[in-house]
Amino acid sequence: MGLNFEQEPQHVFVYGSLMYLPVWGQVVQGTYACKNAVARGHARYAVPGETYPAMVVQADSEVKGLVWLNVAADDLSRLDAFEGPEYQRQTISVQVDGQDLKVQTYLWLQPAALDGKLWSVQRFEEDGLQKFLGRHVQSWNQTGARQSKA
């Protein structure tokens, strides 16, 4: 993801697997507060063949997620490595408690690979979370990298 010049903690908007403590807590080392947030002008799609989502810029859409507050630079580096080459960390604005907040988030770099199916929080909680933990978090714990699509 390039050189890491951030010295100040950053707020991080998450919208998929990183909303869940069993995932977040395996990736970062710090302890952070979080708040509900909405990213307007973005949409969240299912990644074909995977349990995790992709967020892309899309007018007239919004994505509900969480903002982890004041995430340290070393944990941002861990998040960059975990998200891998499929995503790029960018600054966007989200709504938190009715106020705009500048945050870092991970946008999907391959929108043409998406088939237009929205990602379901309920489906992830019922079936996808355990699969994600078994495949991607286990790989992260063993190798320091999330398993990429084959």
Side-chain angles (χ1 to χ4, degrees):
M1 294 276 146
L3 296 175
N4 184 357
F5 291 106
E6 293 107 356
Q7 298 301 316
E8 296 295 317
Q10 302 285 314
H11 305 312
V12 178
F13 177 74
V14 297
Y15 51 86
S17 63
L18 289 167
M19 294 190 296
Y20 298 87
L21 281 175
V23 178
W24 177 260
Q26 293 293 314
V27 177
V28 301
Q29 293 184 343
T31 302
Y32 304 101
C34 66
K35 292 188 171 219
N36 292 323
V38 176
R40 294 198 171 98
H42 293 82
R44 175 176 51 200
Y45 290 101
V47 173
E50 288 293 352
T51 57
Y52 56 83
M55 189 169 79
V56 296
V57 174
Q58 183 173 308
D60 301 323
S61 295
E62 66 180 30
V63 175
K64 293 179 181 174
L66 294 176
V67 171
W68 293 99
L69 301 170
N70 300 310
V71 176
D74 59 333
D75 277 335
L76 280 171
S77 293
R78 285 183 192 84
L79 291 165
D80 289 347
F82 183 75
E83 291 293 9
E86 299 167 317
Y87 297 88
Q88 182 176 45
R89 180 160 47 100
Q90 295 185 11
T91 301
I92 66 168
S93 249
V94 298
Q95 290 280 304
V96 177
D97 299 328
Q99 302 289 321
D100 283 335
L101 182 66
K102 294 281 187 204
V103 299
Q104 300 291 299
T105 197
Y106 293 89
L107 295 181
W108 182 253
L109 292 175
Q110 305 165 33
L114 303 174
D115 61 13
K117 293 180 183 171
L118 295 177
W119 187 77
S120 167
V121 169
Q122 180 180 354
R123 191 167 41 248
F124 184 75
E125 290 174 352
E126 290 172 355
D127 187 46
L129 179 57
Q130 290 307 312
K131 289 179 182 175
F132 188 88
L133 289 168
R135 180 174 181 196
H136 299 292
V137 174
Q138 181 178 0
S139 175
W140 171 257
N141 287 333
Q142 292 172 350
T143 67
R146 178 177 55 82
Q147 183 173 333
S148 296
K149 287 188 68 160

